[in-house]
Amino acid sequence: MNIYSEVTGNRTNDKGEQLLTIKLDKNIPGYMLERYLDENGQLSGEFTLFDNRIITAPQRKKIHAIFGDIVKATGDGKSDYDIESIKYDMKLIFCEQEKIKMFSLSEKSKTCTVTLASQFITFLLDFCMEYKIGLTVPPLSLVEDIKHYLIKCLHERQCAICWEHGEVHHVDTVGAGRDRKHIDHTKHELMCLCRTHHQESHTIGQITFAKKHHVLGVVMNDEQFKKLKYKG
């Protein structure tokens, strides 16, 4: 049962638990509430917040920058028609993949939220990475979902900093004398770095490296690590 609701209150109780007051668009009959009780007499459900924020100017700038790079890789990079056709094609593929309606990047249309724009930017970066499309600006300056991005770089073996061919780098040290083939890599922070940036991380130290490039390592779960196909 899905019912539209409005959050009218927000407070924290003595236990530090957040309590929201929700006004439903329509009342739920008592017999329906009883029907959904579990064996312990408790009622539970899933709460979803809608993003009412509209795509921001920086997000639009990122999207159009990526469009420009895709055009340069596939056409002459000068035609406005190329930009519009790439925009349409990318939105169409994305919408079919996510099973959503077509949207506009215009602020006036109010059909693209901040969340949707973030997901679209992630999709575009994945596309560029998979098809080896170079970017004119540092990739990290475009990223919205940093964890997804770092894992994608690891899977594609592309340096998270410059997109050159990279190798798996342990951000936190494994320890001298330990066999990398017999350690649990899901307990360690990983990052894909090319030889140049890998050497830089060792030369200036990981803390300085992280501050310079504004990036940390990522911990992968079992499924993500298996896809990595890393033997140590």
Side-chain angles (χ1 to χ4, degrees), residues 97-136:
Q97 175 180 295
E98 299 298 321
K99 295 180 173 55
I100 60 175
K101 295 180 180 179
M102 185 62 82
F103 58 93
S104 170
L105 298 174
S106 169
E107 182 180 0
K108 295 180 180 179
S109 74
K110 296 184 179 181
T111 57
C112 184
T113 65
V114 168
T115 298
L116 181 60
S118 179
Q119 293 170 341
F120 188 48
I121 290 170
T122 298
F123 163 80
L124 291 174
L125 288 175
D126 284 354
F127 178 87
C128 290
M129 196 178 298
E130 291 172 9
Y131 289 93
K132 310 303 179 186
I133 296 174
L135 300 176
T136 55

Side-chain angles (χ1 to χ4, degrees), residues 14 25 28 31 35 38 55 100 110-111 116-117 124 132 146-147 170 198 203 205 208-209:
D14 296 336
D25 187 49
I28 304 176
Y31 72 89
R35 180 180 299 176
D38 63 18
I55 181 175
I100 60 175
K110 296 184 179 181
T111 57
L116 181 60
L124 291 174
K132 310 303 179 186
I146 187 64
K147 183 174 182 178
H170 284 77
H198 194 169
T203 301
T208 303
F209 183 84

Side-chain angles (χ1 to χ4, degrees), residues 1-36:
M1 176 185 295
N2 294 314
I3 299 178
Y4 181 80
S5 59
E6 178 184 353
V7 178
T8 59
N10 176 25
R11 69 182 181 85
T12 303
N13 64 16
D14 296 336
K15 297 180 180 180
E17 299 168 328
Q18 185 178 26
L19 304 177
L20 297 179
T21 302
I22 299 175
K23 183 180 71 174
L24 301 178
D25 187 49
K26 63 179 180 180
N27 293 333
I28 304 176
Y31 72 89
M32 290 295 292
L33 293 177
E34 293 179 2
R35 180 180 299 176
Y36 289 111

Side-chain angles (χ1 to χ4, degrees), residues 76-104:
D76 59 19
K78 300 177 181 179
S79 172
D80 289 337
Y81 174 76
D82 285 344
I83 287 285
E84 290 304 313
S85 62
I86 287 294
K87 181 192 299 184
Y88 178 80
D89 289 344
M90 290 295 99
K91 289 198 298 181
L92 182 62
I93 296 171
F94 175 73
C95 289
E96 290 180 349
Q97 175 180 295
E98 299 298 321
K99 295 180 173 55
I100 60 175
K101 295 180 180 179
M102 185 62 82
F103 58 93
S104 170

Side-chain angles (χ1 to χ4, degrees), residues 16 21 50 101 114 120 133 158 178-179 188 219 231:
T21 302
F50 295 126
K101 295 180 180 179
V114 168
F120 188 48
I133 296 174
Q158 285 188 223
R178 296 184 65 189
D179 187 348
H188 292 270
V219 176
K231 297 181 181 180

